[in-house]
Every structure is written in C-alpha cells, then in structure tokens.
Amino acid sequence: MKPAVVLLCVAALCCSAASPSAPSVTAADLQHQLGSLSLDPDGSYRVRDLRLTRGDVSIFFNEGILILARPVGGRRIAAVFTTVDTEGGDGEVLLLSAQPSERASLAAATGGPNLDEHFKLAILFFADDTLDEINTQLAKAPLRPAPEAESKVAEQINSVLQHQSDTVNMAMLQALLDAHEPAEGRFFATVVGSELGIFNVICDPGAAEPVTIGRTEIDKDGQASFRIWTGYRPRRAPLYVPPPPAIQDYHLDATIGPDLKMETTAHFLYRANTRNGRTIPLSLSSRLRVESASVNGAPAEFAQPPVGALSPRFESDAAMLLVTPEALRAGDTYQVQIRYSGSVIRRVSNGSFFVGDRAIWYPRGNPMLTNFDLVFHYPAEFQLVSTGEPVEEEKAAGHVRTTHRRTEIPEQFAGFNLGEYTHLQLDAGGYHINCYADNSASTGMNGIPAQSAEILSYYARRWLPLPIHSLSVTPIPGYFGQGFPGLIYLSNVAYVKEQDRPAELRNAGSNIFFSDLLLPHEIAHQWWGNMVTAADYRSWWIMEAMANDSALQFIVEREGANMGAEILRRFRERLLQTQDGKPVESFGPLDFGQRLLDNNGEFVWHVVVYEKGAWVLQMLRERLGAAQFRAMQQYVLEHYNGHGITNDEFREAAKRFLPAGDPDPTLKKFFETWIYGTGIPKLRLAHAGKSRTKQWTVLVSGVDDEFTADLPLRCKSADGRERRQWIPIVSGENPVTHVAATETCELPATTEFLSQPEK
C-alpha cells in the first residue's frame, strides 16, 4: 500500500467531527464492537522513531511494531505498540515534571522526580488526532507493513485489548457519539514499563487537570482505586473555564420497599452544549441500574458499566451515558426522564440503616446546581428525612408513608436518610431544627438538639444567614459525618454519652472528635461546602479546613482558648506521627486532597486535609488579624455563593484583607509553602554576644533545602512594648536583623505557627 493511500484512509477514519452520531449507529452496536475489539492485520507496520506528545508527556516508539485495532463505528480508536519479533525494540515515556509537589509525588511513586520509563508494550485508545500524527510521521519514510506480526501476538493481545476496553468503555462510547473537536479528544495509554510495571497515561484536554499518570491498585481489603502518581495542567494549556450547570428543575419520585430496594423516576431539564452530539453524560451509583430513559418523550438508549467493573478514578464506576437517536441542538433545552432501581440502603446489625452513595443516588451532571423537588414513598414504620423544605405534611396511606420536600434555592446536592427514629424539634434564630435519633442514642440525644441550635446561631452571627430555613440532624452508623444542604449525617457515636461508648473510643482524642468537633464541623458545611464549594479536588481542603477551623472557633468561644490550643496541639502531634518511616504530613501537600485518600489511606488524608488545613487557616488568621479573617470569610461567602472557588481565587480573596506592610503581599509564598508544599520546621531561637552586640539567630531544621517561610517573631523592648517582626526563614541558620540591643525576642506561640519548637 502506498503512503498516500494510507494517509487518506487514516484521515477519513480519525476525524471526530465527521458525523460520529449517524442515527443508524446504536450505542448497543458500538458497545458490542468495543467489547470484541481486535487487532487488524492490514493495519500492522514496523515503525521507528515515532513520537506522540500529550501535555508535556512524550511517548517514543523507538523501534517496534504498531498495530491498529479494527474500526469501531467506522473509526480507528485503538492501537498497540509491541516489540515482539523486533531486535532492539524499545519504547519510552518521558516527563520532566515542572511543579515541586508533583516531582515529589512522582518520586514517592516511582523513585524519581521525573518519569523516564522504557517499555515493550503499550495499548492506546484515542478520540483525538493521534492517527493523523502517526500517519504524518509514517508518510516521511517508506512504509513497512508487518501483517505477520499481528498473527504472532493476536491471541494474547486481543484479550488484553478487550480488557483495557472495559476500563475506558464509557469514555470511548461517548467519544464515538458526541461532537467534540479532535483537539479536545481524550487519549489513554496503558504502558507495560520495564521497571515500573503497568501504568496509565491519560490526557483529557477538556478537564481542569488534563494530564494524569498513575495506575489502578488493589488494597489489602480487595478495593480498587486509581492511584495518581502525578496530575497537572500543562504549562501551555489555556486558562480553564468550567462549563455552566446543564441540569435544571430536578424532580425525583422514589419508592422504597420493605426490602429497601428503591424504584425511582428522575425528571429534569437538560441544556445541550456544542459537545453533546447524541450524548448526555451523567453519573449514577453502580448499585442502581437504569431501566428506561427518554428525551423529549422519545426513547433514549442508556449505557452503564457492568456492576463491579474495575474503573480507574478518571472514569468513575458511577459513569453513565444517555444516547439520543438524533444529535442534540446546542442551546436547546430537553426534558429528560430516567427510571432506575436498586438499593443504596442497608440495615446494619444494631437495627440502624446506612445510606450509601449519598451523592450519586440520582443521575448527576457535572457541575450541578439546581432546584430539587423530592417525593419519597416508604414503609410507614420508618421516617425519612431529606434535603429541602416540607411542601406538605407527611401522609400515610395503609403501610406507605409519603414525604414531599422542595429546595428554595438551587443546590449542588440532595440527600436523604432513613430510619426508625425518635424526633425532637426546636426553633432558634429563624431556623427549624429537627434532630433524629435511632435506638442507640442516649436520653435527650446527648444534648445534640440544644448544641445544634447554639452552633447554628453562632455561625449565622459570624457570617451570613443561611438561605434555608430547616436543618435536620440525623444519625449514620460509622465514625464520620457529612453535611448536605439542610441535612446532616452525624456519627451515631456522637449521640451516645462518652462513658457508654465502645471501649476503644473512650479516650481523650475520641471524646474531642465525637463530642466537641464533629457536630460544629458538619453544621459549618452548610456555609463551607454548600453555600460556597470547591472548584476542584485541589481546593476541596478549603471546605474541610474552614469547617474544622469554624468548629475550633466555636469551641474556643464556648470552652476557652486553652481547649482550642489543646486540639491544635493534638493535630500537630498527628501530623508529626510517623507512618512507613516518615511523618504523616510529608505524604503530600494540602492541595492533593482526594489523592491522599486514594494513595495513602484515610488516616493520612484526614490528618493532612482536615488537621493541617485547620492549622494553615489559624496561621492565616494570625497574619490577617481576627477581624480581617472574619471579613475575608464573609467576602468569600458573598462573592462565591453558589459557585466553586479555586485555590488561586481563595488566595486573591485573602490578600485583600492583609494589613499594610506584610512581607508577602500576594500571599504566593504562603501558599507555596503551606498549601502546595510539605514540611513542618523545628525552630530554635538563639543569641550570642553581650547586650550591645547581641545577635539573634533562628535555627531551622527538619525540612528540606527548598523550604521557605515568613516567621512572625515577637520582640519586646525594655519598657515592655511589644511588636511583631517578620523574618524570612530557610533551612539552617537565619540571622535576625533590625532588633535593638535592648530588645528580647521569642518564637510565636504554638497557636500561631505550625512549627515544632526544638529543645
């Protein structure tokens, strides 16, 4: 075959803008083809010195065989590179990481700060212009077809290709049916590295963080998660602009049977964009299976991954897709109906109920901000509580009870809880507070109703009134809490008096968490997480840190500064605690968020995001001053109400309230050190010489050579006057200048700086 002919064939097959959504092609047909994907002997070539670049990642096919997979829906979407039957065959993946935190993350995962891995096998899936790039390079040298190579590897590689297709099935199905531009198409590479083993290189240009490298791993409990080695926005990528919410006017009608199975109908309006084509991408718990769907009254196809399918985090197992017969018109609004069933509720041993998949029990878009109208039918012996204000009184007809609630403003989430509850209600400060407890609770719900009213009133005075009028506090089995709009899931341990809790929870640390921190933390999420939320996983720490900091401020108001200082001391001890031979704090910076959970487990994630986050906000309050910090909070709540906030937007908001003369007027140094970096320094203040020649020095240890921060040194004159002097510090000796001979200096108090005084 001549090069020119190859060029024409490949170009015709890889153009994603060319009628991917022909009505004759069904989603079921495409899924079948994806599931039986195989190599094409007519698309097998010996190649040398091919290169693909995706977001600063270079993939070199130095010497080997490139075999295209058979077309799916008339388009080439996959290929395999192998060095079988190739003397000196080799491929290479190269990434020179630019960000210090990502270099550290790569080093922790691979042993080096950059990625330079050779490989013998790589499997590619692509919805971008990969074939155009390959074809252009092939045309520069004589073609060397290698059909015999396909026969040598087909049996082994075809099964691998089909297995890999399972993990990217939903993404590729969407790509075959949507209307994305080639430059915005996704690219997936599964590489079998010579040293690192199997890993993935993923590029999604439409995402906030387009490049991800990592792999799926199975933990000791058999749970699979995608562990990110590095993720970033390429240096030359344009500024990310998040899409507007596409879903409006959401109605849910759910029937819960005695067996706890749910049968639900979802109705909503969907505003199409230029990329939809024939697709409406959504998320739904894999425990729930779609039974039928329609768009504007016409039947629509639907696709979900198989129950239990292992799906990396870049394509959650909650992914689902609606497929319409004809392409959607950008800007038009469509009526969508989805019927689905399954269960996210289970009964636990003590008679309580656990509601799982609390954020994806209904089909969701991303991003999401809509009014919810929620109707639940359920066994009359239960009580059900949900997001929203009551539309009408609960009704019981025979063995079925009905609850109807509606949100008064657009919300990001809607949740519900179910149980056999006792119920206490009180009104405080314009809010209706409803507290529910199961049969494990102490008398009076351990004071939770009165505490809830006190906390809610305290926060409303500090910031802004909530745009909702009802707050329900409900129990959930487990050692955690969660705050949804108007609905709080609170660990059932918090409902039990300290002396009656399980023996392993009767200690000072557990008592502080369940009795002091948890309830004010979750109520704070009505502002931090619901009124304003994070724009991405990188900024989610702000919500958890704000909730923890708010709980600390409430505790100080109620119990005094010593209690707040004690909690911060415990936080720092846990940050310095060693795991796998290194401090917990060193596993990753605050902005890694969910990555810490997937890569290092719940303890590391919680300590860094929640507890270091609270420390960092305490340091920011010291820098701004208490009044200005509170003014900054009010500014964020007002200006980002109903929106996500990024780390950089948070920094811009905070710097508005810095006092004049601050040594870091943009707060970039502060963020680089405490949000994007790791390290807790050990500090020692020393002086030498007599009074007229005294030289103060701050000795810094326990951090690497890249560490830098501003230290608020406290100096006092002979007549008792105090002042704060900021000095820049790095690892090693740091001389203190501009200190009078008659002044004495001291390090900041432990409640003002995340440091460990060196003895």
Side-chain angles (χ1 to χ4, degrees), residues 132-361:
D132 277 339
E133 292 186 41
I134 290 174
N135 191 55
T136 298
Q137 296 178 66
L138 288 176
K140 295 179 180 178
L143 279 178
R144 295 180 293 167
E148 73 287 351
E150 185 273 342
S151 62
K152 293 181 180 180
V153 300
E155 183 175 354
Q156 177 186 5
I157 294 298
N158 283 343
S159 62
V160 175
L161 190 65
Q162 291 161 17
H163 175 74
Q164 291 301 307
S165 175
D166 287 342
T167 67
V168 298
N169 186 291
M170 299 301 294
M172 297 313 300
L173 179 62
Q174 181 180 346
L176 288 163
L177 293 164
D178 69 13
H180 70 270
E181 295 293 330
E184 294 297 309
R186 293 173 175 176
F187 173 89
F188 306 89
T190 298
V191 177
V192 183
S194 301
E195 301 293 332
L196 299 175
I198 299 172
F199 63 95
N200 302 101
V201 178
I202 306 145
C203 184
D204 182 0
E209 198 164 87
V211 179
T212 304
I213 300 176
R215 66 169 159 227
T216 300
E217 295 187 7
I218 311 296
D219 64 19
K220 63 182 186 303
D221 299 320
Q223 298 297 311
S225 64
F226 187 75
R227 302 198 172 184
I228 296 178
W229 295 355
T230 184
Y232 60 92
R233 190 162 188 84
R235 285 165 287 192
R236 287 182 286 275
L239 181 68
Y240 177 70
V241 178
I247 289 177
Q248 308 167 28
D249 195 20
Y250 210 126
H251 295 258
L252 285 157
D253 193 306
T255 298
I256 302 171
D259 60 355
L260 304 181
K261 181 180 178 181
M262 297 176 61
E263 294 185 354
T264 308
T265 300
H267 296 266
F268 55 84
L269 299 179
Y270 184 86
R271 184 177 176 83
N273 60 51
T274 56
R275 292 189 56 160
N276 279 115
R278 292 171 56 197
T279 68
I280 298 178
L282 300 165
S283 296
L284 180 67
S285 166
S286 60
R287 295 182 176 91
L288 302 170
R289 310 309 294 174
V290 175
E291 296 172 351
S292 67
S294 65
V295 177
N296 278 359
E301 287 189 277
F302 52 88
Q304 290 180 274
V307 175
L310 293 181
S311 296
R313 216 177 129 252
F314 57 85
E315 277 295 318
S316 163
D317 62 354
M320 67 165 290
L321 196 66
L322 297 187
V323 179
T324 57
E326 303 287 344
L328 304 176
R329 294 181 297 274
D332 284 3
T333 298
Y334 295 83
Q335 295 184 10
V336 177
Q337 176 180 286
I338 304 172
R339 297 183 186 274
Y340 59 97
S341 63
S343 184
V344 296
I345 312 166
R346 70 176 188 270
R347 188 187 294 268
V348 295
S349 58
N350 65 358
S352 300
F353 295 87
F354 185 88
V355 177
D357 291 353
R358 289 172 296 280
I360 49 174
W361 64 273

Side-chain angles (χ1 to χ4, degrees), residues 714-723 742-746:
R714 294 186 167 208
C715 298
K716 182 185 294 186
S717 64
D719 59 6
R721 288 178 298 174
E722 291 188 0
R723 67 181 179 89
T742 57
E743 285 186 305
T744 58
C745 298
E746 61 182 19

